Amino acid sequence: MNMENTAMDKALVPKDYKSDIKPIWCPGCGDFAVLNAITKALAFLELPREQAAFITGIGCSSRIAAYTSLYGFHGVHGRALALAAGLKAARKDLTVLVAGGDGDGLSIGGNHFIHACRRNMDLTYVMMDNEVYGMTKGQASPTTGADWSKSKLTPQGSGIRPLRPASLALTAGATFIARGFTGDPNGLARILVEAIRHPGFAFVQALSPCPTFRPEQMEWKRMVRGFEQETTSDPMEAARRIHADDGMSIGVIYRSDYPALQPGSGGVGDPRATLDAIESEFRI
Ligand code: SF4
């Protein structure tokens, strides 16, 4: 991260939140638009770069941390949320963004996802969902339709029903749940502004097409539309909307003011104090 001119960070524009590393995503990949939406949101919020960190897992989309000028950690497959929770516990002053794909977040990382939702720490998690494992050349992921038969591993379809990320997040206790689309980067940026401002665990499913392995997803731009209703704080109503929907409606679905877990004030102890106590035990 370039720490020069920190005093001028008030005037940062979206490109200032990008690094000089050129993304190696395929042409047309939706992940470019997620990067643009995130940098727009950060510029809108005038967030000083040294006050934010970006933690990611493994996969095409998880490369995104390196393409920003924030502090970042490109972590282990499926473990981004665990890393991010640890960072937030130790540095509650930081804005902690987390990102990864549907495979990273719902397969190997599925356990961390549900517990991050119920823990409700102040994190913003963007799941870039393209219903496929792109980096490993096109296998069915937890959000792939049961009948998708283009993978050599599942030539007759997986036969397994896909997870609904928003439904899972709601059931597990996330207090902010939204869905955006990379074909609407300004709308996605607006959602991200709300998500970052939300003082608990904010989950944003970003529909992000993979034109290389799921070229049919280029049709999503004709299928996506806004939710007809305003954001609800009623979990039963949110569940009804999520399950009545085909997964193509975008907007902020649910927001609750259930208090965020504050490290040091409740179930999670102050990690700094814990470390100090351990060190003092070993002091001669
Ligand atoms: Fe994007 Fe798919 Fe290419 Fe990965 S394989 S960079 S998800 S288009």
Side-chain angles (χ1 to χ4, degrees), residues 130-180:
N130 54 18
E131 303 177 0
V132 75
Y133 284 97
M135 200 171 75
T136 50
K137 303 206 179 304
Q139 297 81 31
S141 84
T143 56
T144 306
D147 58 352
W148 182 66
S149 57
K150 294 288 191 290
S151 169
K152 288 179 183 160
L153 282 183
T154 50
Q156 296 174 329
S158 70
I160 304 171
R161 286 175 296 178
L163 284 173
R164 295 172 185 238
S167 174
L168 189 57
L170 182 70
T171 304
T175 49
F176 179 102
I177 300 169
R179 187 185 297 127

CSV table of all heavy atoms in Angstrom, one decimal, residues 130-180:
chain,number,residue,atom,x,y,z
A,130,ASN,N,-20.8,-16.9,-9.1
A,130,ASN,CA,-21.0,-17.2,-10.6
A,130,ASN,C,-21.4,-18.6,-10.8
A,130,ASN,O,-21.3,-19.2,-11.9
A,130,ASN,CB,-19.7,-16.8,-11.4
A,130,ASN,CG,-18.5,-17.5,-10.8
A,130,ASN,OD1,-18.6,-18.5,-10.0
A,130,ASN,ND2,-17.3,-17.1,-11.1
A,131,GLU,N,-21.7,-19.3,-9.7
A,131,GLU,CA,-22.3,-20.7,-9.7
A,131,GLU,C,-21.3,-21.6,-10.4
A,131,GLU,O,-21.7,-22.5,-11.1
A,131,GLU,CB,-23.6,-20.7,-10.5
A,131,GLU,CG,-24.7,-19.8,-9.8
A,131,GLU,CD,-26.0,-19.7,-10.5
A,131,GLU,OE1,-26.1,-20.4,-11.5
A,131,GLU,OE2,-26.9,-19.0,-10.0
A,132,VAL,N,-20.0,-21.4,-10.2
A,132,VAL,CA,-19.0,-22.3,-10.8
A,132,VAL,C,-17.7,-22.1,-10.1
A,132,VAL,O,-17.4,-21.1,-9.6
A,132,VAL,CB,-18.9,-22.1,-12.3
A,132,VAL,CG1,-18.1,-20.8,-12.6
A,132,VAL,CG2,-18.3,-23.3,-13.0
A,133,TYR,N,-16.9,-23.2,-10.1
A,133,TYR,CA,-15.5,-23.0,-9.7
A,133,TYR,C,-14.7,-22.6,-11.0
A,133,TYR,O,-14.5,-23.4,-11.9
A,133,TYR,CB,-14.9,-24.3,-9.2
A,133,TYR,CG,-15.3,-24.7,-7.8
A,133,TYR,CD1,-16.3,-25.6,-7.6
A,133,TYR,CD2,-14.6,-24.2,-6.7
A,133,TYR,CE1,-16.7,-25.9,-6.3
A,133,TYR,CE2,-15.0,-24.5,-5.4
A,133,TYR,CZ,-16.0,-25.4,-5.2
A,133,TYR,OH,-16.4,-25.7,-3.9
A,134,GLY,N,-14.4,-21.3,-11.1
A,134,GLY,CA,-13.7,-20.9,-12.4
A,134,GLY,C,-12.2,-21.1,-12.4
A,134,GLY,O,-11.7,-21.6,-13.4
A,135,MET,N,-11.6,-20.9,-11.3
A,135,MET,CA,-10.1,-21.0,-11.3
A,135,MET,C,-9.6,-22.4,-11.6
A,135,MET,O,-8.6,-22.7,-12.2
A,135,MET,CB,-9.5,-20.5,-10.0
A,135,MET,CG,-8.0,-20.2,-10.1
A,135,MET,SD,-7.4,-19.3,-8.6
A,135,MET,CE,-7.3,-20.7,-7.5
A,136,THR,N,-10.4,-23.4,-11.2
A,136,THR,CA,-10.0,-24.8,-11.5
A,136,THR,C,-10.7,-25.4,-12.7
A,136,THR,O,-10.8,-26.6,-12.9
A,136,THR,CB,-10.4,-25.7,-10.2
A,136,THR,OG1,-11.7,-25.4,-9.8
A,136,THR,CG2,-9.4,-25.4,-9.1
A,137,LYS,N,-11.2,-24.5,-13.5
A,137,LYS,CA,-11.7,-24.8,-14.9
A,137,LYS,C,-13.1,-25.4,-15.0
A,137,LYS,O,-13.3,-26.3,-15.8
A,137,LYS,CB,-10.6,-25.6,-15.7
A,137,LYS,CG,-9.3,-24.9,-15.7
A,137,LYS,CD,-8.5,-25.4,-16.9
A,137,LYS,CE,-7.2,-24.7,-17.0
A,137,LYS,NZ,-7.2,-23.2,-17.1
A,138,GLY,N,-14.0,-24.9,-14.1
A,138,GLY,CA,-15.4,-25.2,-14.4
A,138,GLY,C,-16.0,-26.4,-13.8
A,138,GLY,O,-16.5,-27.3,-14.5
A,139,GLN,N,-16.0,-26.5,-12.4
A,139,GLN,CA,-16.7,-27.6,-11.8
A,139,GLN,C,-18.0,-27.0,-11.1
A,139,GLN,O,-18.0,-25.8,-10.8
A,139,GLN,CB,-15.9,-28.3,-10.7
A,139,GLN,CG,-14.7,-29.0,-11.3
A,139,GLN,CD,-13.5,-28.0,-11.6
A,139,GLN,OE1,-13.3,-27.1,-10.9
A,139,GLN,NE2,-12.7,-28.3,-12.6
A,140,ALA,N,-18.9,-27.8,-10.8
A,140,ALA,CA,-20.1,-27.4,-10.1
A,140,ALA,C,-19.8,-26.9,-8.7
A,140,ALA,O,-19.0,-27.6,-8.0
A,140,ALA,CB,-21.2,-28.5,-10.0
A,141,SER,N,-20.4,-25.8,-8.3
A,141,SER,CA,-20.1,-25.2,-6.9
A,141,SER,C,-21.4,-25.4,-6.1
A,141,SER,O,-22.4,-25.9,-6.6
A,141,SER,CB,-19.8,-23.8,-7.0
A,141,SER,OG,-21.0,-23.0,-7.1
A,142,PRO,N,-21.4,-25.0,-4.9
A,142,PRO,CA,-22.7,-25.2,-4.1
A,142,PRO,C,-23.9,-24.4,-4.6
A,142,PRO,O,-25.0,-24.6,-4.1
A,142,PRO,CB,-22.2,-24.7,-2.7
A,142,PRO,CG,-20.8,-24.9,-2.6
A,142,PRO,CD,-20.3,-24.6,-4.0
A,143,THR,N,-23.6,-23.4,-5.5
A,143,THR,CA,-24.8,-22.6,-6.0
A,143,THR,C,-25.2,-23.0,-7.4
A,143,THR,O,-26.0,-22.4,-8.0
A,143,THR,CB,-24.5,-21.1,-5.9
A,143,THR,OG1,-23.3,-20.8,-6.6
A,143,THR,CG2,-24.4,-20.6,-4.5
A,144,THR,N,-24.5,-24.0,-8.0
A,144,THR,CA,-24.8,-24.5,-9.3
A,144,THR,C,-26.1,-25.2,-9.4
A,144,THR,O,-26.4,-26.1,-8.5
A,144,THR,CB,-23.6,-25.4,-9.8
A,144,THR,OG1,-22.4,-24.7,-9.7
A,144,THR,CG2,-23.8,-25.8,-11.3
A,145,GLY,N,-26.9,-25.0,-10.4
A,145,GLY,CA,-28.1,-25.7,-10.6
A,145,GLY,C,-27.9,-27.2,-10.7
A,145,GLY,O,-26.9,-27.6,-11.3
A,146,ALA,N,-28.8,-28.0,-10.3
A,146,ALA,CA,-28.7,-29.4,-10.3
A,146,ALA,C,-28.5,-30.0,-11.7
A,146,ALA,O,-27.9,-31.1,-11.8
A,146,ALA,CB,-29.9,-30.1,-9.6
A,147,ASP,N,-29.0,-29.3,-12.7
A,147,ASP,CA,-29.0,-29.9,-14.0
A,147,ASP,C,-27.9,-29.3,-14.9
A,147,ASP,O,-27.9,-29.5,-16.1
A,147,ASP,CB,-30.4,-29.7,-14.7
A,147,ASP,CG,-30.8,-28.2,-14.7
A,147,ASP,OD1,-30.0,-27.4,-14.1
A,147,ASP,OD2,-31.8,-27.9,-15.3
A,148,TRP,N,-27.0,-28.5,-14.4
A,148,TRP,CA,-25.9,-27.9,-15.2
A,148,TRP,C,-25.0,-29.0,-15.6
A,148,TRP,O,-24.3,-29.6,-14.7
A,148,TRP,CB,-25.2,-26.8,-14.4
A,148,TRP,CG,-24.1,-26.1,-15.3
A,148,TRP,CD1,-24.3,-25.4,-16.4
A,148,TRP,CD2,-22.7,-26.2,-15.1
A,148,TRP,NE1,-23.1,-24.9,-16.9
A,148,TRP,CE2,-22.1,-25.4,-16.1
A,148,TRP,CE3,-21.9,-26.8,-14.1
A,148,TRP,CZ2,-20.7,-25.3,-16.2
A,148,TRP,CZ3,-20.5,-26.7,-14.3
A,148,TRP,CH2,-20.0,-25.9,-15.3
A,149,SER,N,-24.9,-29.3,-16.9
A,149,SER,CA,-24.2,-30.5,-17.3
A,149,SER,C,-22.9,-30.2,-18.2
A,149,SER,O,-22.5,-31.1,-18.9
A,149,SER,CB,-25.2,-31.3,-18.2
A,149,SER,OG,-25.7,-30.6,-19.2
A,150,LYS,N,-22.4,-29.0,-18.1
A,150,LYS,CA,-21.3,-28.6,-19.0
A,150,LYS,C,-19.9,-29.0,-18.3
A,150,LYS,O,-18.9,-29.0,-19.0
A,150,LYS,CB,-21.3,-27.1,-19.2
A,150,LYS,CG,-22.4,-26.6,-20.1
A,150,LYS,CD,-22.3,-27.1,-21.5
A,150,LYS,CE,-23.3,-26.5,-22.4
A,150,LYS,NZ,-24.7,-26.9,-22.2
A,151,SER,N,-19.9,-29.4,-17.1
A,151,SER,CA,-18.7,-29.8,-16.5
A,151,SER,C,-18.4,-31.3,-16.8
A,151,SER,O,-19.2,-32.1,-16.8
A,151,SER,CB,-18.7,-29.7,-15.0
A,151,SER,OG,-17.6,-30.3,-14.4
A,152,LYS,N,-17.1,-31.5,-17.1
A,152,LYS,CA,-16.7,-32.9,-17.4
A,152,LYS,C,-16.9,-33.8,-16.2
A,152,LYS,O,-17.0,-35.0,-16.3
A,152,LYS,CB,-15.2,-33.0,-17.9
A,152,LYS,CG,-15.0,-32.4,-19.2
A,152,LYS,CD,-13.6,-32.4,-19.6
A,152,LYS,CE,-13.4,-31.7,-21.0
A,152,LYS,NZ,-12.1,-31.3,-21.3
A,153,LEU,N,-16.8,-33.2,-15.0
A,153,LEU,CA,-17.0,-34.0,-13.8
A,153,LEU,C,-18.5,-34.5,-13.6
A,153,LEU,O,-18.7,-35.5,-13.0
A,153,LEU,CB,-16.6,-33.2,-12.6
A,153,LEU,CG,-15.1,-33.1,-12.3
A,153,LEU,CD1,-14.8,-32.4,-11.0
A,153,LEU,CD2,-14.4,-34.5,-12.2
A,154,THR,N,-19.4,-33.6,-14.1
A,154,THR,CA,-20.8,-33.9,-13.9
A,154,THR,C,-21.6,-33.8,-15.2
A,154,THR,O,-22.4,-32.9,-15.4
A,154,THR,CB,-21.4,-33.0,-12.8
A,154,THR,OG1,-21.1,-31.6,-13.1
A,154,THR,CG2,-20.9,-33.3,-11.4
A,155,PRO,N,-21.3,-34.6,-16.2
A,155,PRO,CA,-21.8,-34.5,-17.5
A,155,PRO,C,-23.3,-34.6,-17.6
A,155,PRO,O,-23.9,-34.3,-18.6
A,155,PRO,CB,-21.1,-35.6,-18.3
A,155,PRO,CG,-20.6,-36.5,-17.3
A,155,PRO,CD,-20.4,-35.8,-16.1
A,156,GLN,N,-23.9,-35.2,-16.5
A,156,GLN,CA,-25.4,-35.3,-16.5
A,156,GLN,C,-26.0,-34.4,-15.4
A,156,GLN,O,-27.1,-34.6,-15.0
A,156,GLN,CB,-25.8,-36.7,-16.3
A,156,GLN,CG,-25.4,-37.6,-17.4
A,156,GLN,CD,-25.6,-39.1,-17.2
A,156,GLN,OE1,-25.6,-39.5,-16.1
A,156,GLN,NE2,-25.9,-39.8,-18.3
A,157,GLY,N,-25.2,-33.4,-15.0
A,157,GLY,CA,-25.6,-32.5,-13.9
A,157,GLY,C,-25.2,-33.1,-12.6
A,157,GLY,O,-25.1,-34.4,-12.5
A,158,SER,N,-25.1,-32.3,-11.6
A,158,SER,CA,-24.7,-32.8,-10.3
A,158,SER,C,-25.9,-33.6,-9.6
A,158,SER,O,-25.7,-34.4,-8.8
A,158,SER,CB,-24.2,-31.7,-9.4
A,158,SER,OG,-25.3,-30.9,-9.0
A,159,GLY,N,-27.1,-33.2,-10.0
A,159,GLY,CA,-28.3,-33.8,-9.3
A,159,GLY,C,-28.5,-33.2,-7.9
A,159,GLY,O,-29.3,-33.7,-7.1
A,160,ILE,N,-27.7,-32.2,-7.5
A,160,ILE,CA,-27.7,-31.7,-6.1
A,160,ILE,C,-28.3,-30.3,-6.1
A,160,ILE,O,-27.9,-29.5,-6.9
A,160,ILE,CB,-26.3,-31.6,-5.5
A,160,ILE,CG1,-25.6,-33.0,-5.6
A,160,ILE,CG2,-26.4,-31.1,-4.1
A,160,ILE,CD1,-24.2,-33.0,-5.2
A,161,ARG,N,-29.3,-30.1,-5.3
A,161,ARG,CA,-30.0,-28.8,-5.3
A,161,ARG,C,-29.0,-27.7,-4.8
A,161,ARG,O,-28.2,-27.9,-3.9
A,161,ARG,CB,-31.2,-28.8,-4.3
A,161,ARG,CG,-32.4,-29.6,-4.9
A,161,ARG,CD,-33.5,-29.7,-3.9
A,161,ARG,NE,-33.0,-30.5,-2.8
A,161,ARG,CZ,-33.8,-30.7,-1.7
A,161,ARG,NH1,-35.0,-30.2,-1.6
A,161,ARG,NH2,-33.3,-31.5,-0.7
A,162,PRO,N,-29.1,-26.5,-5.4
A,162,PRO,CA,-28.1,-25.5,-5.0
A,162,PRO,C,-28.5,-24.8,-3.7
A,162,PRO,O,-29.7,-24.8,-3.3
A,162,PRO,CB,-28.2,-24.5,-6.1
A,162,PRO,CG,-29.6,-24.7,-6.7
A,162,PRO,CD,-29.9,-26.2,-6.6
A,163,LEU,N,-27.5,-24.3,-3.0
A,163,LEU,CA,-27.8,-23.5,-1.8
A,163,LEU,C,-28.3,-22.2,-2.2
A,163,LEU,O,-27.9,-21.7,-3.3
A,163,LEU,CB,-26.5,-23.3,-1.0
A,163,LEU,CG,-26.0,-24.5,-0.1
A,163,LEU,CD1,-24.6,-24.2,0.5
A,163,LEU,CD2,-27.0,-24.8,1.0
A,164,ARG,N,-29.1,-21.5,-1.4
A,164,ARG,CA,-29.5,-20.1,-1.6
A,164,ARG,C,-28.7,-19.3,-0.6
A,164,ARG,O,-29.1,-19.3,0.6
A,164,ARG,CB,-31.0,-20.0,-1.4
A,164,ARG,CG,-31.9,-20.7,-2.3
A,164,ARG,CD,-33.3,-20.6,-1.9
A,164,ARG,NE,-34.2,-21.4,-2.7
A,164,ARG,CZ,-35.2,-20.9,-3.3
A,164,ARG,NH1,-35.5,-19.6,-3.3
A,164,ARG,NH2,-36.0,-21.7,-4.1
A,165,PRO,N,-27.7,-18.6,-1.0
A,165,PRO,CA,-26.9,-17.8,-0.1
A,165,PRO,C,-27.6,-16.9,0.8
A,165,PRO,O,-27.3,-16.8,2.1
A,165,PRO,CB,-25.9,-17.1,-1.0
A,165,PRO,CG,-25.9,-17.9,-2.2
A,165,PRO,CD,-27.2,-18.4,-2.4
A,166,ALA,N,-28.6,-16.2,0.3
A,166,ALA,CA,-29.3,-15.2,1.1
A,166,ALA,C,-30.1,-15.9,2.2
A,166,ALA,O,-30.2,-15.5,3.3
A,166,ALA,CB,-30.2,-14.3,0.3
A,167,SER,N,-30.7,-17.0,1.8
A,167,SER,CA,-31.5,-17.8,2.8
A,167,SER,C,-30.6,-18.4,3.9
A,167,SER,O,-31.0,-18.3,5.1
A,167,SER,CB,-32.2,-19.0,2.0
A,167,SER,OG,-32.9,-19.8,2.9
A,168,LEU,N,-29.5,-18.9,3.5
A,168,LEU,CA,-28.6,-19.4,4.5
A,168,LEU,C,-28.1,-18.3,5.5
A,168,LEU,O,-28.0,-18.5,6.7
A,168,LEU,CB,-27.3,-20.0,3.8
A,168,LEU,CG,-26.4,-20.8,4.6
A,168,LEU,CD1,-27.1,-22.0,5.3
A,168,LEU,CD2,-25.3,-21.4,3.7
A,169,ALA,N,-27.8,-17.1,4.9
A,169,ALA,CA,-27.3,-16.0,5.7
A,169,ALA,C,-28.4,-15.6,6.7
A,169,ALA,O,-28.1,-15.3,7.9
A,169,ALA,CB,-26.9,-14.8,4.8
A,170,LEU,N,-29.7,-15.6,6.3
A,170,LEU,CA,-30.8,-15.2,7.1
A,170,LEU,C,-30.9,-16.2,8.3
A,170,LEU,O,-31.1,-15.8,9.4
A,170,LEU,CB,-32.1,-15.0,6.3
A,170,LEU,CG,-33.3,-14.6,7.1
A,170,LEU,CD1,-33.2,-13.1,7.5
A,170,LEU,CD2,-34.6,-14.8,6.2
A,171,THR,N,-30.9,-17.4,7.9
A,171,THR,CA,-31.1,-18.5,8.9
A,171,THR,C,-30.0,-18.5,9.9
A,171,THR,O,-30.2,-18.7,11.1
A,171,THR,CB,-31.1,-19.9,8.2
A,171,THR,OG1,-32.1,-19.9,7.2
A,171,THR,CG2,-31.4,-21.0,9.2
A,172,ALA,N,-28.8,-18.2,9.5
A,172,ALA,CA,-27.6,-18.2,10.4
A,172,ALA,C,-27.5,-16.9,11.2
A,172,ALA,O,-26.7,-16.9,12.1
A,172,ALA,CB,-26.4,-18.4,9.6
A,173,GLY,N,-28.3,-15.9,10.9
A,173,GLY,CA,-28.3,-14.7,11.8
A,173,GLY,C,-27.6,-13.5,11.3
A,173,GLY,O,-27.4,-12.5,12.0
A,174,ALA,N,-27.3,-13.4,10.0
A,174,ALA,CA,-26.7,-12.2,9.4
A,174,ALA,C,-27.7,-11.0,9.6
A,174,ALA,O,-28.9,-11.2,9.5
A,174,ALA,CB,-26.4,-12.3,7.9
A,175,THR,N,-27.2,-9.8,9.9
A,175,THR,CA,-28.1,-8.7,10.2
A,175,THR,C,-28.3,-7.7,9.0
A,175,THR,O,-29.0,-6.7,9.1
A,175,THR,CB,-27.6,-8.0,11.4
A,175,THR,OG1,-26.2,-7.7,11.3
A,175,THR,CG2,-27.9,-8.8,12.7
A,176,PHE,N,-27.6,-8.0,7.9
A,176,PHE,CA,-27.7,-7.2,6.7
A,176,PHE,C,-27.5,-8.2,5.5
A,176,PHE,O,-26.5,-8.8,5.4
A,176,PHE,CB,-26.7,-6.1,6.6
A,176,PHE,CG,-26.8,-5.2,5.4
A,176,PHE,CD1,-27.4,-3.9,5.5
A,176,PHE,CD2,-26.2,-5.6,4.2
A,176,PHE,CE1,-27.4,-3.1,4.3
A,176,PHE,CE2,-26.3,-4.8,3.1
A,176,PHE,CZ,-26.9,-3.6,3.1
A,177,ILE,N,-28.6,-8.3,4.7
A,177,ILE,CA,-28.5,-9.2,3.6
A,177,ILE,C,-28.9,-8.5,2.3
A,177,ILE,O,-30.0,-7.9,2.2
A,177,ILE,CB,-29.4,-10.4,3.8
A,177,ILE,CG1,-28.9,-11.2,5.1
A,177,ILE,CG2,-29.4,-11.4,2.6
A,177,ILE,CD1,-29.9,-12.2,5.6
A,178,ALA,N,-28.1,-8.5,1.3
A,178,ALA,CA,-28.4,-7.9,0.0
A,178,ALA,C,-27.9,-8.7,-1.1
A,178,ALA,O,-27.0,-9.6,-1.0
A,178,ALA,CB,-27.7,-6.5,0.0
A,179,ARG,N,-28.5,-8.4,-2.3
A,179,ARG,CA,-28.0,-9.0,-3.5
A,179,ARG,C,-27.8,-7.9,-4.6
A,179,ARG,O,-28.7,-7.1,-4.8
A,179,ARG,CB,-29.0,-10.1,-4.0
A,179,ARG,CG,-28.5,-10.9,-5.2
A,179,ARG,CD,-29.6,-11.8,-5.8
A,179,ARG,NE,-30.0,-12.8,-4.8
A,179,ARG,CZ,-31.2,-13.1,-4.5
A,179,ARG,NH1,-32.2,-12.4,-5.0
A,179,ARG,NH2,-31.5,-14.0,-3.6
A,180,GLY,N,-26.6,-7.9,-5.2
A,180,GLY,CA,-26.3,-7.0,-6.3
A,180,GLY,C,-25.9,-7.7,-7.5
A,180,GLY,O,-25.8,-8.9,-7.6
